[in-house]
């Protein structure tokens, strides 16, 4: 397909999407930087935006922040132009969130820029040809050809200081628990694979529902895939978690539920698949469908749970299936630039542990190696009676791990409150060591018989 020779012929929406990508996609900006110029745009507001994008990139080697652009906009003396730029920026940022055809926009604009550079090289070459300077012509043409090729060779430690310290670089989403947010640099972010381990009934699915609901509460768009429960019942679990009404009492509080759901700033999509019938390919297709048909681009994806997906490949060993699925999930998170969160089972012995360590992961230990934030939850019989649990941070790429928390857990709503750090002293208090001083009830039958005989013998001799 041949690119058009004038950017205006692509239309307003195309140009707004290009601006949106230049404002938010650092890799695209790096690749296009050599051939990008504000001269491509006729609209004065778009010219202004592109000029400041280039200026910021030349100095900081990354996309400009909203704050930086806001300051530059305020410097404008012309109020009409200032308002026009603000409106153009709003639309550009909006288009960057809604662009399902991101790859096409990038490729088409790259071809347009390359053609413009080639045209410029040919025009300049006329004079060089008259002078017989073929080496200069060759350099111009070569530069035009490579002007929009991928240039990102990695993170430049010296040049990319601004990029790695940008607050929006990871775009972390808060969890409902400040203790977890404090040790993970604000929650979970783009490209993260988050795993919640636990035995049956330990509350791992509830934990992911709480995380998803918190994301929706703060305005995020979330897709929750269920391979274990029906989507309607999962929806009721979200209702219970949101309102604090026990899941078996929800029917009596329909009006309150509708009011609470209506106030949520974010959006939640729940999609059900039969276990072992869907693969990550199916999830990718569904996400693409949400993009193209509903302009819905999620900020986070929850899969309950990854182990119940079908592997894309045919494997003989269960462990290899699990390894493939988790590795592919991490790859998908990186590719889409969003976090993927999943509960996962522990093995039989792990379900009996007060504190579940990483070696108790069911299926494959490699889950621990590929995950970024991994937390286990344990609820033994006493915990279920006392509405308590213990959460153990098995792995944390963003801060401390190895810490264990004592939690208050409501199994009817999934609401969890972290009470504090769990210590070994708590375990000693629950199970005090037996002393050597035995009561009469703890003495064995043989010892009792021997003592009785000694007593009667002593009585006869006295």
């Amino acid at each position: 397909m041949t690119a058009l020779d004038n950017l205006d012929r692509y239309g307003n929406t195309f140009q707004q999407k290009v601006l949106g990508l230049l404002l938010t996609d650092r890799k695209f900006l790096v690749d296009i930087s050599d051939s990008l110029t504000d001269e491509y745009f006729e609209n004065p507001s778009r010219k202004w935006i592109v000029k400041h994008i280039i200026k910021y990139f030349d100095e900081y080697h990354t996309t400009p922040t909203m704050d930086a652009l806001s300051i530059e906009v305020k410097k404008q003396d012309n109020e009409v132009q200032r308002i026009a730029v603000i409106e153009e920026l709003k639309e550009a940022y909006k288009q960057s969130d809604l662009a399902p055809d991101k790859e096409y926009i990038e490729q088409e604009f790259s071809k347009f820029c390359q053609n413009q550079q080639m045209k410029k090289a040919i025009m300049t070459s006329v004079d060089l040809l008259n002078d017989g300077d073929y080496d200069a012509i060759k350099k111009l043409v070569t530069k035009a050809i490579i002007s929009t090729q991928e240039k990102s060779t990695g993170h430049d430690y010296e040049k990319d200081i601004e990029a790695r310290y940008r607050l929006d670089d990871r775009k972390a989403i808060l969890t409902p628990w400040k203790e977890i947010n404090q040790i993970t640099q604000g929650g979970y972010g783009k490209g993260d694979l988050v795993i919640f381990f636990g035995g049956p009934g330990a509350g791992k699915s509830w934990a992911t529902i709480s995380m998803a609901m918190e994301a929706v509460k703060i305005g995020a768009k979330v897709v929750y895939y269920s391979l274990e429960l029906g989507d309607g019942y999962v929806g009721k679990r979200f209702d219970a978690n949101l309102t604090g009404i026990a899941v078996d009492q929800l029917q009596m509080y329909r009006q309150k539920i509708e009011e609470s759901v209506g106030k949520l700033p974010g959006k939640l999509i729940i999609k059900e698949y039969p276990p072992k019938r869907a693969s990550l390919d199916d999830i990718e297709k569904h996400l693409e469908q949400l993009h193209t048909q509903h302009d819905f681009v999620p900020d986070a994806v929850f899969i309950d749970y990854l182990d119940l997906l079908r592997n894309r490949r045919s494997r003989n060993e269960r462990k290899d299936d699990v390894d493939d699925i988790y590795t592919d999930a991490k790859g998908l998170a990186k590719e889409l630039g969003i976090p993927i969160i999943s509960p996962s089972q522990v093995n039989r012995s792990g379900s009996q542990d007060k504190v579940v360590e990483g070696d108790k992961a069911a299926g494959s230990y490699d889950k621990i190696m590929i995950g970024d934030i991994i937390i286990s939850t344990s609820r033994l019989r006493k915990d279920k009676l006392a509405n308590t649990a213990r959460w153990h941070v098995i792995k944390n790429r963003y801060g401390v791990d190895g810490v264990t928390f004592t939690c208050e857990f409501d199994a009817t709503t999934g609401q969890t409150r972290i009470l504090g750090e769990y210590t070994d002293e708590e375990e000693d208090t629950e199970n005090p060591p037996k002393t050597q001083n035995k009561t009469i009830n703890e003495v064995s039958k043989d010892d009792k018989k021997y003592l009785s005989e000694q007593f009667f013998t002593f009585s006869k001799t006295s």
Side-chain angles (χ1 to χ4, degrees):
M1 186 182 294
T2 304
L4 299 176
D5 60 356
N6 187 299
L7 199 57
D8 274 357
R9 294 179 62 187
Y10 284 95
N12 281 328
T13 303
F14 179 89
Q15 293 181 59
Q16 287 164 347
K17 288 181 178 180
V18 168
L19 287 179
L21 292 172
L22 292 173
L23 287 165
T24 59
D25 191 328
R26 180 179 176 273
K27 182 181 180 301
F28 177 55
L29 181 56
V30 169
D31 291 343
I32 208 78
S33 58
D34 286 348
S35 60
L36 182 62
T37 171
D38 64 297
E39 295 175 0
Y40 299 154
F41 296 84
E42 297 293 332
N43 182 297
S45 299
R46 292 169 189 166
K47 275 182 173 292
W48 186 95
I49 293 170
V50 173
K51 186 180 294 183
H52 282 80
I53 289 173
I54 294 171
K55 180 182 176 182
Y56 193 95
F57 178 81
D58 288 343
E59 186 169 354
Y60 301 108
H61 209 236
T62 189
T63 55
T65 63
M66 287 187 184
D67 288 341
L69 288 171
S70 177
I71 292 170
E72 293 300 318
V73 168
K74 290 175 182 177
K75 293 178 182 178
Q76 288 195 93
D77 295 328
N78 188 321
E79 185 178 355
V80 174
Q81 178 66 16
R82 185 166 62 248
I83 294 172
V85 169
I86 291 171
E87 291 303 314
E88 199 68 49
L89 283 170
K90 286 180 180 178
E91 189 60 33
Y93 277 115
K94 178 182 176 182
Q95 290 294 342
S96 70
D97 287 336
L98 300 178
D101 49 356
K102 173 178 177 287
E103 187 175 346
Y104 168 78
I105 299 295
E106 289 181 350
Q107 289 179 355
E108 192 66 20
F109 187 66
S110 295
K111 281 190 281 186
F112 170 82
C113 291
Q114 189 180 69
N115 288 349
Q116 297 304 306
Q117 290 297 308
M118 185 63 73
K119 184 193 298 184
K120 183 178 179 181
I122 292 171
M123 300 278 289
T124 307
S125 297
V126 173
D127 293 333
L128 295 173
L129 184 62
N130 292 332
D131 295 337
D133 194 347
Y134 296 102
D135 286 340
I137 295 172
K138 182 179 178 180
K139 287 179 181 178
L140 279 173
V141 173
T142 302
K143 184 180 178 181
I145 292 172
I146 67 172
S147 62
T148 58
Q149 291 179 0
E150 182 174 347
K151 297 177 184 63
S152 178
T153 55
H155 182 88
D156 189 310
Y157 183 69
E158 181 183 358
K159 291 182 179 180
D160 293 338
I161 294 176
E162 167 71 11
R164 65 176 174 266
Y165 280 98
R166 283 274 289 272
L167 290 177
D168 62 350
D169 183 54
R170 185 166 163 249
K171 296 180 180 176
I173 299 174
L174 292 170
T175 75
W177 312 286
K178 68 179 188 301
E179 295 84 356
I180 301 298
N181 296 332
Q182 287 169 354
I183 64 174
T184 56
Q185 298 184 36
Y188 52 102
K190 63 180 184 180
D192 284 345
L193 179 61
V194 183
I195 307 172
F196 246 98
F197 280 108
K204 55 189 182 296
S205 290
W206 272 123
T208 57
I209 283 176
S210 293
M211 290 173 68
M213 178 50 70
E214 183 68 17
V216 176
K217 283 180 182 178
I218 60 178
K221 290 172 283 188
V222 172
V223 182
Y224 195 99
Y225 293 101
S226 175
L227 292 98
E228 202 170 31
L229 298 172
D231 50 15
Y233 185 70
V234 173
K236 288 182 177 179
R237 280 189 154 199
F238 274 100
D239 292 339
N241 190 262
L242 172 64
T243 61
I245 301 169
V247 71
D248 60 348
Q249 302 293 317
L250 291 169
Q251 194 66 37
M252 297 183 290
Y253 298 92
R254 283 282 302 277
Q255 185 175 350
K256 180 179 179 180
I257 293 167
E258 289 176 9
E259 291 174 356
S260 298
V261 173
K263 294 176 183 177
L264 290 171
K267 188 170 178 61
L268 172 66
I269 301 292
I270 304 169
K271 175 67 175 175
E272 173 190 354
Y273 284 114
K276 289 300 177 184
R277 291 291 185 269
S279 69
L280 279 171
D281 286 335
D282 296 297
I283 285 176
E284 285 192 70
K285 290 175 184 175
H286 180 250
L287 291 173
E288 182 63 26
Q289 179 185 358
L290 290 175
H291 286 187
T292 56
Q293 296 182 12
H294 304 284
D295 286 335
F296 185 94
V297 181
D299 299 299
V301 168
F302 291 76
I303 304 175
D304 187 4
Y305 48 98
L306 280 169
D307 303 67
L308 292 178
L309 287 173
R310 188 183 74 250
N311 191 3
R312 290 164 162 170
R313 309 166 190 84
S314 178
R315 297 286 196 177
N316 293 326
E317 298 293 333
R318 169 62 180 156
K319 177 187 177 301
D320 295 332
D321 272 338
V322 173
D323 291 347
D324 287 345
I325 292 168
Y326 275 80
T327 302
D328 288 349
K330 173 62 178 178
L332 182 61
K334 293 276 287 182
E335 181 183 339
L336 298 179
I338 59 175
I340 291 180
I341 304 92
S342 176
S344 186
Q345 291 281 2
V346 299
N347 59 31
R348 186 175 298 177
S349 62
S351 64
Q352 302 301 315
D353 291 348
K354 284 200 167 190
V355 176
V356 180
E357 297 287 358
D359 59 348
K360 300 302 174 65
S364 173
Y365 183 76
D366 288 354
K367 296 177 187 178
I368 307 297
M369 297 171 64
I370 198 69
D372 298 290
I373 300 172
I374 303 176
I375 300 173
S376 69
T377 176
S378 173
R379 289 180 69 230
L380 304 182
R381 184 176 61 85
K382 285 185 178 180
D383 295 305
K384 293 181 179 182
L385 295 173
N387 292 327
T388 56
R390 280 160 305 285
W391 284 9
H392 179 63
V393 182
I394 296 173
K395 181 179 178 181
N396 176 18
R397 293 195 193 275
Y398 304 103
V400 298
D401 55 19
V403 63
T404 306
F405 297 105
T406 300
C407 304
E408 182 180 80
F409 174 73
D410 185 343
T412 66
T413 65
Q415 293 183 348
T416 304
R417 185 165 65 95
I418 294 178
L419 303 176
E421 286 195 36
Y422 174 79
T423 62
D424 292 336
E425 284 75 14
E426 291 182 50
E427 188 170 349
D428 292 339
T429 302
E430 292 175 8
N431 299 297
K434 291 183 179 181
T435 63
Q436 295 298 316
N437 299 323
K438 297 180 179 180
T439 65
I440 188 64
N441 291 326
E442 292 174 293
V443 178
S444 68
K445 290 182 179 180
D446 291 338
D447 288 344
K448 287 180 181 179
K449 182 178 179 181
Y450 173 76
L451 289 172
S452 177
E453 291 173 351
Q454 291 298 310
F455 172 77
F456 285 114
T457 300
F458 177 76
S459 298
K460 290 177 181 179
T461 57
S462 298

